[in-house]
Amino acid sequence: MTDARGSAGQNGAAHARRAPGTPCWVSLMAHGLTSTQEFYGALFGWEFRPGPQQLGPYVRAVLDGREVAGIGQLPPDRQLPIAWTPYLASDDVDQTAEAVRSCGGTIGVGPLDADEAGRLAIGSDPSGAVFGIWQAAAHLGIAVTGVPGATAWNELLTFESATVLKFYETVFGFERRPADSTGSDDITLLLHGRPVVNIHGVGNALPRDRGSHWLTYFEVADVDETLPRLTALGGHVLTPAHDGPWGRTATVTDPEGARFALIRSHT
């Protein structure tokens, strides 16, 4: 998992343009923009600056002067799931959107221009998991990853990996790392030999109220110390802190119900 940090650089040196398929941004659409900023600002130390307004009010979260995420406001009449959405890089968002459709996915938003920042589309894979596609122009995406308050990893939780694996391999050119010997339905996808995302088939453990969905992991200095602060701010703990192969993690929600994970990665 830690290898995935190389896409933006743990010290904040972003590449000029990420390879197609690389996670390059993560964005949340919420009902209460101000209250959501207050929650994540207190939790991760984020500050905020204005971003493109094509889809409504939108801000970019900044950590030590470096952009790490986006938060937008849903229109009052839109009762969509509140969820963090990862964006995968593309050199041609229109071409990628067509590949999504031809491989059994759907495009719900775009492709459209986001001011001078770039061009985007939002789609879903054949299992219904929502993701974004980003063609960078002025905005290159996440400026730092893998440090406290920034993203560390993205994982797709689905019923079984086989239902969507071919989709992501075809659309984004991912290669699969050989399955481990544990027998778990857990597949790491690579770009140019480097781990970038994970697909985890969880069977009947998949939340019925969510279905297949992407889960973003945010790095923290100490998961156990962060959880009481999260609950005091109005968040909820879904999976208590536990040790795993990549580090100590916990799955949580913000006050509006957006799921994400906290991780203290192994160094």
Side-chain angles (χ1 to χ4, degrees), residues 80-117:
L80 297 174
I82 308 300
W84 281 100
T85 301
Y87 281 71
L88 305 177
S90 171
D91 287 339
D92 187 328
V93 69
D94 295 81
Q95 188 176 73
T96 302
E98 186 55 40
V100 167
R101 295 187 187 98
S102 66
C103 291
T106 61
I107 296 295
V109 176
L112 56 85
D113 291 324
D115 292 341
E116 302 301 316

Side-chain angles (χ1 to χ4, degrees), residues 26-30 36 40 58 70-73 82-85 254 258:
V26 62
S27 189
L28 171 67
M29 298 297 288
T36 300
Y40 287 101
Y58 188 84
I71 300 176
Q73 181 170 319
I82 308 300
W84 281 100
T85 301
D254 67 16

Side-chain angles (χ1 to χ4, degrees), residues 149-163:
T151 56
W153 190 243
N154 290 283
E155 180 176 63
L156 173 61
L157 299 176
T158 189
F159 183 76
E160 60 176 357
S161 63
T163 60

